[in-house]
Amino acid sequence: MVEESPDPIRGSRSGTAPVPLSVLDLATVGSGLTATEALRTSTDVARLAEARGYHRLWVAEHHSLTGVASSSPAVLLAHLAARTARIRLGSGGVMLPNHAPLVIAEQFGTLEALAPGRIDLGLGRAPGTDGATAAALRRGRTDGAEEFPQQLAELVRFLDDDFPDGHPYARIHAVPGPAQGNPGRPPVWLLGSSGFSAELAGRLGLPFAFAHHFSAAHTVPALQLYRESFRPSDVLDRPYALIAVSALAADREQEAHRQVLTGALAMLRLRSGRPGPVPSPEAAAAYPFTAREREFTDAWLAQVVHGTPDAVREGLDALVARTGADELMVTTNVHGPRARLRSYELLADAYRMPDAVR
């Protein structure tokens, strides 16, 4: 039996996993597939994660990327909440500079009202896209990442409905929310891939999620900075650090490499200014890598924990030991749904995670 933790942040471990295991789903769109199929797979992943005892599942905000279907986390989370019953759901993350804080407070207040006690609000300060798309999202506003601390403070005030008397927003209520008798609100997390959000999360006493899956070289320094900066708060009495890691388990090592090469090629194309759907395993295997491209993909794959279930478990355990992470959030970005779903099943089996009570 998988027992729910009363703490919305600190989850209980399942089976032999050294820390709680969670899932980051990007609604990956593979070549030859559609966004409808990608979102259907996200639903299947959420149901599987709940059934196998993963602690939480987050979705991320990305824009103008044809290989990703999760441009609207709040909408996708509402869909997933309606099709699950226990697993925590959240944003990993919502890009705060793209939105008015009041809008985010209302969206996640609505989610909390629909799925009480199951929603997390993870916030990032990057646009989640390129500069031109960011300009289109912000419609000429000049506020951006540098205003993030002020935007965050405003958002938290809206969530708590506690602007002081005399404040211009004192009579504005984010609804659903405390003004309507809703006692709870989503826990706020800060996300980051460098030191800025790590230090801010520490100073504010908030849980911190680090993007190890695309910024592995900065993981240990960022977590150290977070812990050194941490001040106890009403939310946490000690630091809590989650790291997102790319991983894929397959029945055979060769199959694991065949699958993760699709994600590596997709990232190569993105970094080269040629984004698109995730290529098929056949297309990735046949791609004529130049020496420089092969160097990039080899470096990328070195940070993806992949192989047989036992090898992936050993790799994840070593990552926890090296970083001191309090939680691992696994993301598996490959071409098709079958490999992703199979990987999460195999990983749960490797850690002997029991099926959740239905």
Side-chain angles (χ1 to χ4, degrees), residues 11 18-19 26 64 67 99 134 183 211 228 254 308 326 333 342:
V19 296
L26 299 182
S64 194
H99 311 277
E228 291 174 349
Q254 296 87 342
T308 63
D326 299 291
N333 298 314
R342 179 63 174 159

Side-chain angles (χ1 to χ4, degrees), residues 70-265:
S70 60
S71 60
S72 181
V75 175
L76 181 52
L77 289 171
H79 172 83
L80 297 179
R83 285 155 181 80
T84 56
R86 294 171 301 278
I87 191 169
R88 295 197 65 84
L89 300 167
S91 58
V94 164
M95 301 297 106
L96 179 52
N98 293 343
H99 311 277
L102 175 58
V103 171
I104 298 176
E106 290 181 333
Q107 289 175 343
F108 278 77
T110 300
L111 288 167
E112 180 68 22
L114 290 169
R118 295 175 55 205
I119 303 299
D120 299 323
L121 173 52
L123 299 165
R125 68 187 187 103
T129 187
D130 59 89
T133 307
L137 285 165
R138 297 171 187 176
R139 303 288 292 181
R141 299 200 317 270
T142 58
D143 54 320
E146 60 275 10
E147 281 79 35
F148 184 82
Q150 293 76 22
Q151 294 172 327
L152 174 62
E154 183 178 308
L155 171 57
V156 171
R157 289 284 191 183
F158 277 125
L159 288 170
D160 291 334
D161 198 31
D162 69 347
F163 281 101
D165 291 341
H167 192 281
Y169 298 158
R171 298 179 63 183
I172 299 174
H173 306 289
V175 295
Q180 297 168 319
N182 282 32
R185 57 100 156 158
V188 171
W189 292 66
L190 293 194
L191 280 58
S193 58
S194 62
F196 180 92
S197 291
E199 184 176 10
L200 182 60
R203 286 195 288 108
L204 297 177
L206 295 175
F208 178 58
F210 187 82
H212 176 82
H213 59 305
F214 64 79
S215 189
H218 300 104
T219 303
V220 171
L223 296 189
Q224 181 177 353
L225 180 59
Y226 168 61
R227 292 167 182 140
E228 291 174 349
S229 304
F230 187 83
R231 301 172 185 171
S233 68
D234 292 339
V235 177
L236 287 175
D237 58 1
R238 63 189 189 278
Y240 191 88
L242 173 157
I243 61 174
V245 53
S246 291
L248 180 132
D251 294 290
R252 295 181 298 110
E253 182 178 353
Q254 296 87 342
E255 177 61 15
H257 185 271
R258 177 174 175 268
Q259 292 293 337
V260 296
L261 186 60
T262 67
L265 179 54

Side-chain angles (χ1 to χ4, degrees), residues 331-351:
T331 185
T332 303
N333 298 314
V334 294
H335 174 263
R338 185 176 303 175
R340 290 167 62 200
L341 292 164
R342 179 63 174 159
S343 178
Y344 289 123
E345 283 278 18
L346 290 173
L347 185 57
D349 290 343
Y351 279 114

